Amino acid sequence: MATIRVLSRSPTVAAASSLIRPGQRCCARATSGSAPLLLPRVSVRRKSGPYGYTQAKSLVFSQYGEPEKVLKLHTHSISPSLPPSSVLLRTLAAPINPADVNTIQGTYGVKPTFSPLIGTSEPSVIPGNEGVFEVVNPGSSSSTLSKGDWVIPAKTGFGTWRTHAVAPSPSSLIKLDRAGLTPLQAATVSVNPSSAYRMLRDYAADPPLREGDWFIQNGANSGVGRSAIQLARLWGYRSINVIRARSTAAATEALRAELAALGATRVVTEDELQSRAFRADLAAWTRDAGAPRLGLNCVGGASARALAKALAPGGTLVTYGGMSRQPVALPTGLLIFKDLRLRGFWLSRWADAQPDDKARTVAEILDLVRAGKLTDVPVVEVPWEWDTEEGVLREAVQGTLEGFRQGKGVFVFKDT
Ligand SMILES: NC(=O)c1ccc[n+]([C@@H]2O[C@H](COP(=O)([O-])OP(=O)(O)OC[C@H]3O[C@@H](n4cnc5c(N)ncnc54)[C@H](OP(=O)(O)O)[C@@H]3O)[C@@H](O)[C@H]2O)c1
């Protein structure tokens, strides 16, 4: 899959709001999870400051709004004398997920905590829930980590859109076996593939999905959808995959072919799903094993309704996204006569409650990646270099919720 790269327009100066000016008072604060650290401010912007200080940059927001309006690039220093339990990290790659944008807009289900921990003039949040870091300083000698290890945050809300981070302890991180992985693969493992994995495994009830069973999903070309297709192929499940038609018939066929190559059993457009002919097609395809018992809903609205209609009696519709911004409204009869189960999936709830399960799921998925059984999702690489302009980073975030994208934006940190 081709990787597209967004190029910075010119090396430039960071935004005025993020500059640490000469003559300012001599202390800023660096984040270490809960404990603020007092750090000297410095007037020059460079990666390794004097006396072992690490120069770092973070995207931050101090009020909710559109990313292009509220995101700022903030420069700060990290002290070399960190608490012994903490771990100094350098970011390698961090995706820009739809939920990150909803968080910045203030429309996400949970609200972040605004704090002045990295010396911003107003209480702020560092966005980004997913990403991979390299350990620069593992902390005390009893640390379970070593310099050069790759780690991901154990829980959500870590704030990954930054060049460096200080984790409060090794236990706040999950160590990855980095052998054979690219930073992009490691950075994108914990949200989309893990969501697809858990929904396919945990949500079809009485009994769980078995080899040969069908499931149906919309948003099938999304990161989650592509992972679900590939995991289903590996586990022997058959999939009906709903996509939106592209601007030309040829482009629609190309997308169908792409998903079929990943292992999709059937690919239909939204129009086909909602046509009269679909009912007969569905019956013919699923004659031997029965109608799908599981539906994965990324979209909502009419698409979710059509998925629900395709389910077998007693089937489960799991809603994990709302890309159409339309509510999930179902005909009463689907509940009374088909006794459908409506569930919601939220990865954070699962991962934060069971970090060990998260670590196991991630490790299993990465084994599949190494074995070439899970291919990379299409991404738009956004190089983040020391001099990358604030505007370039903001623009990369802004388009995330638009449809018909070429790939998921991922910040790839270079020379920071
Ligand atoms: N609940 C959870 O724990 C959880 C975990 C992971 C992801 N998610 C959610 O899952 C969704 C997909 O995430 P992702 O990272 O996989 O996204 P992604 O790779 O960026 O894919 C976005 C998907 O949404 C579709 N889409 C965009 N706008 C749409 C619209 N107006 N109507 C219908 N479909 C539209 C796109 O189809 P086109 O190509 O046709 O535009 C594409 O299939 C997001 O809502 C995300 O928040 C939730």
Side-chain angles (χ1 to χ4, degrees):
M1 188 63 61
T3 296
I4 301 145
R5 185 172 286 211
V6 176
L7 292 174
S8 163
R9 284 177 299 228
S10 64
T12 189
V13 177
S17 61
S18 68
L19 289 177
I20 296 170
R21 295 181 205 89
Q24 278 186 321
R25 97 189 149 80
C26 85
C27 284
R29 292 167 145 198
T31 180
S32 70
S34 53
L37 302 167
L38 285 180
L39 304 177
R41 285 191 184 240
V42 287
S43 59
V44 282
R45 283 169 289 118
R46 57 186 178 211
K47 290 168 288 173
S48 295
Y51 314 114
Y53 283 84
T54 301
Q55 297 288 77
K57 289 190 182 184
S58 301
L59 277 173
V60 295
F61 64 97
S62 54
Q63 56 184 323
Y64 295 122
E66 286 307 309
E68 65 186 356
K69 297 222 167 70
V70 300
L71 280 182
K72 292 182 177 146
L73 190 60
H74 173 75
T75 307
H76 61 109
S77 300
I78 298 174
S79 166
S81 44
L82 298 168
S85 63
S86 59
V87 183
L88 177 62
L89 306 169
R90 182 174 79 86
T91 322
L92 299 176
I96 307 164
N97 285 316
D100 299 324
V101 176
N102 294 149
T103 303
I104 296 165
Q105 292 170 326
T107 58
Y108 200 56
V110 283
K111 303 286 181 260
T113 305
F114 289 77
S115 89
L117 279 178
I118 57 168
T120 49
S121 54
E122 297 169 274
S124 300
V125 174
I126 301 170
N129 253 328
E130 196 181 20
V132 65
F133 299 85
E134 184 181 61
V135 174
V136 175
N137 182 346
S140 69
S141 55
S142 61
S143 173
T144 49
L145 297 170
S146 305
K147 189 170 186 297
D149 283 348
W150 283 11
V151 293
I152 60 172
K155 294 197 172 185
T156 43
F158 191 83
T160 56
W161 296 358
R162 47 172 152 178
T163 61
H164 298 80
V166 179
S169 67
S171 64
S172 63
L173 302 164
I174 294 173
K175 179 177 161 180
L176 305 181
D177 172 4
R178 59 181 277 186
L181 295 179
T182 66
L184 278 174
Q185 291 168 332
T188 52
V189 66
S190 62
V191 172
N192 287 343
S194 299
S195 296
Y197 185 117
R198 295 294 18 141
M199 287 191 288
L200 286 176
R201 281 289 203 222
D202 303 341
Y203 281 77
D206 311 326
L209 289 187
R210 296 164 299 201
E211 264 189 47
D213 280 350
W214 289 86
F215 77 97
I216 185 165
Q217 63 167 344
N218 55 22
N221 62 322
S222 67
V224 176
R226 287 168 188 267
S227 299
I229 290 171
Q230 296 178 79
L231 290 169
R233 182 201 53 196
L234 288 169
W235 296 336
Y237 312 153
R238 291 181 280 184
S239 57
I240 298 168
N241 299 280
V242 186
I243 56 169
R244 296 198 294 177
R246 310 333 262 176
S247 56
T248 66
T252 304
E253 290 317 305
L255 182 54
R256 265 192 229 269
E258 204 180 311
L259 298 190
L262 292 180
T265 320
R266 301 281 175 183
V267 182
V268 297
T269 64
E270 287 283 357
D271 288 345
E272 289 164 354
L273 172 74
Q274 289 169 44
S275 71
R276 284 181 172 275
F278 181 72
R279 207 168 164 169
D281 287 343
L282 177 70
W285 296 338
T286 62
R287 188 164 293 130
D288 59 339
R293 289 190 296 112
L294 181 69
L296 306 184
N297 171 34
C298 162
V299 175
S303 179
R305 198 153 52 243
L307 288 196
K309 285 182 180 167
L311 292 177
T316 304
L317 181 69
V318 187
T319 293
Y320 69 94
M323 293 305 292
S324 72
R325 296 179 196 165
Q326 298 299 314
V328 178
L330 300 183
T332 309
L334 286 182
L335 298 176
I336 295 177
F337 302 113
K338 282 178 88 175
D339 191 18
L340 295 187
R341 273 84 173 137
L342 303 184
R343 301 282 310 272
F345 173 79
W346 188 32
L347 181 81
S348 303
R349 184 173 45 223
W350 167 79
D352 292 355
Q354 294 148 107
D356 291 347
D357 283 359
K358 174 177 172 177
R360 271 192 292 276
T361 302
V362 163
E364 196 181 323
I365 292 169
L366 288 178
D367 281 345
L368 297 173
V369 171
R370 274 188 213 94
K373 293 178 178 170
L374 270 186
T375 60
D376 301 355
V377 292
V379 298
V380 177
E381 265 190 53
V382 184
W384 180 333
E385 292 162 5
W386 185 253
D387 288 325
T388 301
E389 289 178 28
E390 179 183 80
V392 170
L393 302 176
R394 270 203 311 236
E395 257 171 49
V397 178
Q398 184 60 32
T400 300
L401 296 184
E402 286 163 16
F404 305 107
R405 307 232 320 145
Q406 292 172 302
K408 181 178 291 294
V410 183
F411 292 124
V412 178
F413 295 79
K414 308 202 176 215
D415 196 27
T416 51

